[in-house]
């Protein structure tokens, strides 16, 4: 070897060694495909029935006989928004339900544990006494990614306390038209903010390592452009809407506005992604091979698996079998078929036997599902897949509530503050509280709380309403409450809490976002009493405020803050300054839609006062 080639060799070696031994960059999660060597022999030993079973997710509510779990080798089960344990929504009932179903997975030949999925969207929101965090629209106003991660961490711990290991969250939608009933599930109308929050939201749920017993598998949704649908492109019971509608934009806009959250979610190692019910230029997302396979899996390098939305595959064709073939061939890996799961299984098997769905596609889907299970430690025979009930002790704990309280106070946006009405004095002689939502934890939490659509009144236990929080914060003041705002005359100050009643998905699409008549009345009555007052608005989106804004001395957009009303008192009484900044621009009138942000909004994106 001459000198030159010797030097070259040294150089190559010097370069190669660090590459060879280099650890993954700090903070980067282990690649899911690195589990493939472990999976290969399992896959090779599986029958077609076992493979298809892994690709199937029924809703527990529709499983009449739990022996289906072992007979069909089911890979997953979900509880949809209102799919509760028969025994009610206590922590114990949920944990028992999980264990009862998971035990059946251990009766299968391969004993592969199933993944149990729920919509833990703002805390473990189906379980009584869980900490309910602000919906994403409020979290967007915090501009605090570290807080987003902390909230997701607490959520993961509460989810794991019930044994459940999969949350259909975070929602990284970028809503462009607040008439959409799912607007509140999005952090922002601004793609950059969604991009910034998606990573921390995934990291918080999945933890530093998916195999950690406190980690929860995350699911970024709804891919792609669920928030871009044209109003009126769908009808819900004869009413125009945009939920599950058609997004009519070119590809550059699609990517610039709607793809951003997925990029950072994938960088953070998100294990699953849920394709949207909606369409892009007339093509349903669950059928879009280009966007599911070419863009998401091949271009962006997503190595986890795709889970279809609830009955979404059914929408692809009148012929269900054909619909299944379209979706699986487009790249769907696991299908959420709440009730028709047996039909799905036999149809998919027939499609494979006929050659319509290639075996390679089945093997790819199952590899992706098993990778995730391996990464979660579920294929480790030494680990029990049953719930760890020692985690119950921190469920709904004061420490967890403290994180909720912090989130609430940082999410509040002060829209107006005249005559120095805020902060309120704890020494006020009398505080007159009013408004239908002043003492209503259900309205405070919004949709996806215990029930799919949420509900007014005492929907859950363990929370603090604004009224209760004010009483706690100002123990020496006389605090009176009348929902309609009457009887306030003579009070030192008034607080009127109004807003939207809970809703979710299509039921929340609206052509009119004006304040409800009873809310206007409560504000008018308070005004008539001559008492200076602040209005606190609970809503899943900006509302049309009309002259209610002028009547109030101060106005706070509180979004859907969840159970920790103390966070509102923290700001009302000046223990913390308001810091929230609007995550959506706030229009003056409905006719500004669909271009609310570009047509001289009442309050622009980023607006928020302090003192
Ligand atoms: C929603 C999803 C949800 C799923 C399961 C669907 O209707 O669109 O966001 O994860 O139901 O509850
Ligand atoms: C379920 C939800 C689901 C919805 C879809 C409801 O019954 O509880 O999870 O999103 O149906 O239509």
């Amino acid at each position: 070897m001459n000198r030159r080639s010797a030097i070259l060799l040294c150089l190559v070696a010097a370069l190669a060694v660090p590459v060879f031994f280099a650890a993954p960059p700090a903070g980067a999660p282990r690649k899911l495909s690195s589990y493939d060597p472990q999976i290969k022999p399992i896959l090779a030993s599986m029958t077609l029935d076992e493979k298809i079973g892994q690709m199937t997710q029924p809703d527990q509510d529709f499983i009449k006989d739990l022996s289906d779990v072992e007979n069909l080798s089911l890979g997953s089960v979900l509880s949809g928004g209102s799919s509760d344990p028969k025994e009610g929504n206590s922590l114990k009932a949920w944990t028992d339900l999980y264990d009862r179903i998971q035990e059946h997975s251990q009766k299968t030949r391969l004993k592969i544990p199933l993944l149990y999925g729920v919509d833990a969207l703002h805390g473990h929101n189906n379980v009584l006494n869980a900490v309910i965090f602000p919906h994403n629209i409020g979290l967007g106003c915090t501009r605090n990614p570290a807080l987003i991660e902390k909230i997701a961490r607490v959520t993961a711990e509460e989810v794991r306390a019930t044994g459940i290991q999969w949350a259909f969250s975070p929602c990284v939608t970028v809503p462009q038209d607040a008439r959409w009933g799912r607007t509140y599930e999005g952090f922002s109308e601004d793609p950059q903010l969604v991009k910034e929050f998606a990573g921390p939201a995934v990291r918080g749920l999945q933890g530093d390592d998916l195999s950690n017993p406190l980690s929860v598998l995350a699911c970024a949704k709804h891919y792609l452009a669920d928030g871009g649908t044209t109003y009126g492109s769908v009808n819900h019971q004869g009413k125009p809407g945009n939920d599950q509608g058609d997004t009519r934009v070119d590809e550059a806009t699609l990517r610039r506005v709607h793809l951003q959250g997925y990029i950072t979610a994938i960088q953070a190692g998100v294990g699953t992604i849920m394709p949207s019910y909606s369409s892009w230029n007339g093509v349903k997302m669950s059928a879009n091979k280009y966007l599911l396979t070419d863009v998401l899996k091949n271009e962006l390098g997503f190595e986890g698996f795709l889970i279809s939305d609830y009955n979404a595959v059914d929408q692809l064709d009148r012929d269900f079998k054909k619909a299944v073939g379209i979706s699986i061939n487009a790249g769907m890996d696991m299908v959420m078929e709440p009730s028709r799961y047996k039909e799905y299984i036999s149809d998919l098997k027939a499609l494979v036997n006929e050659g319509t769905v290639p075996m390679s596609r089945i093997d790819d889907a199952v590899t992706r599902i098993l990778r995730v299970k391996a990464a979660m430690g579920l294929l480790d025979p030494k680990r029990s897949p049953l719930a760890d009930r020692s985690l119950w002790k921190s469920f709904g704990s004061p420490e967890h509530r403290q994180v909720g309280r912090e989130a609430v106070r940082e999410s509040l946006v002060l829209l107006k503050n005249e005559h120095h009405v805020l902060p309120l004095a704890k020494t006020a002689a009398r505080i007159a509280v009013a408004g239908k939502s002043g003492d209503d934890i259900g309205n405070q939490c919004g949709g996806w709380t215990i029930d799919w659509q949420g509900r007014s009144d005492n929907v859950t236990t363990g929370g603090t309403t604004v009224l209760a929080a004010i009483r706690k914060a100002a123990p020496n003041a006389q605090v009176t409450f009348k929902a309609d705002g009457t009887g306030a005359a003579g009070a030192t100050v008034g607080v009127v809490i109004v807003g939207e009643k809970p809703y979710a998905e299509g039921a929340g699409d609206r052509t009119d976002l004006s304040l409800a008549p009873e809310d206007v009345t409560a504000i008018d009555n308070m005004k008539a009493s001559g008492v200076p007052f602040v209005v606190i608005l609970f809503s899943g989106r900006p509302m049309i405020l009309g002259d209610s804004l002028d009547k109030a001395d101060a106005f706070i957009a509180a979004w859907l803050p969840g159970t920790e009303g103390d966070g509102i008192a923290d700001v009302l009484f000046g223990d913390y300054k308001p810091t929230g900044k609007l995550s959506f621009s706030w229009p003056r009138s409905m006719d500004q839609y669909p271009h609310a942000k570009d047509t001289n909004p009442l309050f622009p994106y980023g607006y928020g006062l302090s003192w």
Side-chain angles (χ1 to χ4, degrees):
M1 192 189 310
N2 64 28
R3 206 170 148 247
R4 206 166 144 251
S5 45
I7 290 172
L8 222 116
L9 203 81
C10 286
L11 223 108
V12 167
L15 281 172
V17 166
V19 170
F20 187 74
F21 290 107
R30 184 171 158 187
K31 276 175 84 72
L32 288 167
S33 56
S34 70
Y35 293 92
D36 289 2
Q38 185 188 338
I39 282 158
K40 251 200 169 118
I42 306 175
L43 187 73
S45 78
M46 288 171 89
T47 63
L48 178 58
D49 288 330
E50 285 168 335
K51 290 176 182 176
I52 292 177
Q54 285 300 315
M55 298 169 65
T56 308
Q57 185 192 61
D59 186 312
Q60 68 84 24
D61 228 7
F62 295 94
I63 306 180
K64 291 204 190 70
D65 183 347
L66 284 185
S67 63
D68 280 359
V69 173
E70 63 264 24
N71 292 339
L72 304 172
S73 308
L74 296 176
S76 181
V77 169
L78 96 144
S79 270
S82 299
S83 168
D84 307 330
K86 304 277 175 291
E87 302 77 17
N89 285 304
S90 68
L91 175 58
K92 178 172 186 308
W94 272 95
T95 315
D96 289 347
L97 172 68
Y98 168 83
D99 273 355
R100 195 156 64 232
I101 294 177
Q102 189 64 279
E103 271 164 5
H104 281 268
S105 74
Q106 299 310 292
K107 298 183 185 169
T108 57
R109 183 176 74 93
L110 296 169
K111 297 189 169 46
I112 299 172
L114 55 80
L115 285 166
Y116 201 109
V118 290
D119 292 289
L121 305 182
H122 57 150
H124 196 5
N125 45 235
N126 287 340
V127 186
L128 291 170
N129 214 43
V131 179
I132 305 296
F133 293 94
H135 269 299
N136 284 350
I137 191 168
L139 298 184
C141 299
T142 69
R143 299 295 200 276
N144 186 347
L147 179 60
I148 302 310
E149 185 162 343
K150 204 152 96 178
I151 291 166
R153 196 82 290 283
V154 170
T155 301
E157 288 187 25
E158 299 212 344
V159 169
R160 285 314 294 245
T162 53
I164 294 171
Q165 354 76 332
W166 188 9
F168 304 129
S169 169
C171 184
V172 297
T173 184
V174 191
Q176 298 297 293
D177 184 333
R179 290 176 290 182
W180 188 35
R182 306 193 78 157
T183 299
Y184 64 79
E185 293 185 51
F187 293 117
S188 179
E189 70 186 12
D190 177 28
Q192 288 316 307
L193 190 59
V194 177
K195 185 175 194 177
E196 199 187 330
F197 278 16
V202 168
R203 273 195 298 277
L205 285 171
Q206 296 196 166
D208 49 1
D209 190 311
L210 265 174
S211 72
N212 189 311
L214 291 178
S215 291
V216 162
L217 176 62
C219 178
K221 70 185 189 184
H222 308 82
Y223 181 85
L224 182 65
D226 51 347
T229 54
T230 301
Y231 205 83
S233 60
V234 278
N235 261 273
H236 307 295
Q237 285 127 20
K239 284 188 295 192
N242 49 353
D243 189 40
Q244 306 191 6
D246 188 22
T247 297
R248 297 165 184 164
V249 296
D250 61 20
E251 186 170 343
T253 311
L254 186 82
R255 285 173 178 259
R256 178 176 50 79
V257 178
H258 300 285
L259 191 66
Q260 301 307 313
Y262 295 94
I263 296 173
T264 44
I266 291 169
Q267 281 165 359
V270 72
T272 66
I273 291 178
M274 187 185 291
S276 179
Y277 281 123
S278 57
S279 307
W280 177 42
N281 294 331
V283 179
K284 284 268 178 196
M285 278 305 310
S286 299
N288 195 319
K289 186 172 187 185
Y290 171 66
L291 290 175
L292 300 187
T293 297
D294 299 349
V295 174
L296 198 52
K297 293 179 175 177
N298 296 342
E299 181 188 322
L300 297 182
F302 171 61
E303 294 185 339
F305 70 88
L306 296 177
I307 170 73
S308 66
D309 205 342
Y310 199 95
N311 281 329
V313 168
D314 310 45
Q315 299 182 358
L316 302 183
D317 199 283
R318 262 182 229 283
D319 176 349
F320 182 62
K321 184 177 164 194
K322 207 168 150 199
V324 169
I326 292 170
S327 195
I328 300 294
N329 280 337
M332 198 69 78
D333 300 303
M334 184 188 279
V335 174
M336 192 188 285
E337 273 307 319
S339 58
R340 295 172 83 178
Y341 55 99
K342 289 184 186 164
E343 203 182 335
Y344 155 76
I345 288 171
S346 60
D347 283 348
L348 182 52
K349 193 171 176 185
L351 288 162
V352 175
N353 288 332
E354 289 157 17
T356 311
V357 171
M359 198 60 199
S360 57
R361 181 69 270 277
I362 299 291
D363 285 343
D364 173 51
V366 178
T367 297
R368 288 169 176 273
I369 294 164
L370 292 184
R371 267 175 193 167
V372 168
K373 290 190 175 184
M376 295 179 78
L378 288 171
L379 302 185
D380 178 352
K382 292 189 292 294
R383 269 173 73 161
S384 163
L386 298 184
D388 173 2
R389 293 175 191 235
S390 73
L391 298 174
W392 282 7
K393 63 181 181 300
S394 64
F395 190 91
S397 66
E399 293 73 27
H400 287 183
R401 293 194 184 280
Q402 195 55 38
V403 178
R405 179 175 183 162
E406 193 180 331
V408 172
R409 67 178 174 246
E410 291 195 23
S411 67
L412 305 179
V413 180
L414 182 64
L415 297 177
K416 176 181 179 181
N417 187 19
E418 282 175 6
H419 317 118
H420 301 288
V421 69
L422 290 176
L424 308 181
K426 291 181 185 171
T427 53
R430 183 180 155 212
I431 303 173
V433 180
K436 68 164 190 263
S437 299
D439 196 24
D440 190 316
I441 204 82
N443 289 354
Q444 199 171 300
C445 291
W448 296 104
T449 308
I450 304 299
D451 283 337
W452 176 40
Q453 295 284 328
R455 101 181 114 77
S456 293
D457 298 326
N458 295 324
V459 70
T460 188
T461 51
T464 308
T465 65
V466 178
L467 177 64
I470 290 176
R471 290 201 162 124
K472 256 164 69 182
N476 298 322
Q478 185 198 356
V479 180
T480 54
F481 176 64
K482 274 201 84 177
D484 68 3
T486 58
T492 321
V493 70
V495 183
V496 189
I497 304 101
V498 295
E500 290 189 302
K501 287 185 180 168
Y503 55 79
E505 299 192 48
D509 287 3
R510 296 275 185 280
T511 45
D512 185 5
L513 292 169
S514 310
L515 294 185
E518 71 267 23
D519 291 346
V520 175
T521 302
I523 291 169
D524 286 348
N525 286 338
M526 185 63 80
K527 181 77 183 170
S529 72
V531 171
F533 68 101
V534 48
V535 172
I536 297 173
L537 179 68
F538 289 161
S539 65
R541 47 196 154 183
M543 307 289 290
I544 304 305
L545 302 179
D547 57 6
S548 293
L549 179 67
D550 308 322
K551 290 174 190 156
D553 300 282
F555 207 105
I556 294 175
W559 314 107
L560 298 170
T563 46
E564 304 315 302
D566 290 327
I568 295 179
D570 285 341
V571 172
L572 273 184
F573 291 100
D575 292 332
Y576 290 84
K577 285 185 194 214
T579 53
K581 304 286 176 219
L582 289 181
S583 54
F584 281 77
S585 39
W586 195 300
R588 320 167 179 267
S589 63
M590 287 311 292
D591 54 28
Q592 288 178 281
Y593 285 109
H595 305 293
K597 62 172 185 283
D598 311 316
T599 49
N600 184 24
L602 178 59
F603 301 109
Y605 176 86
Y607 184 85
L609 303 171
S610 193
W611 55 70

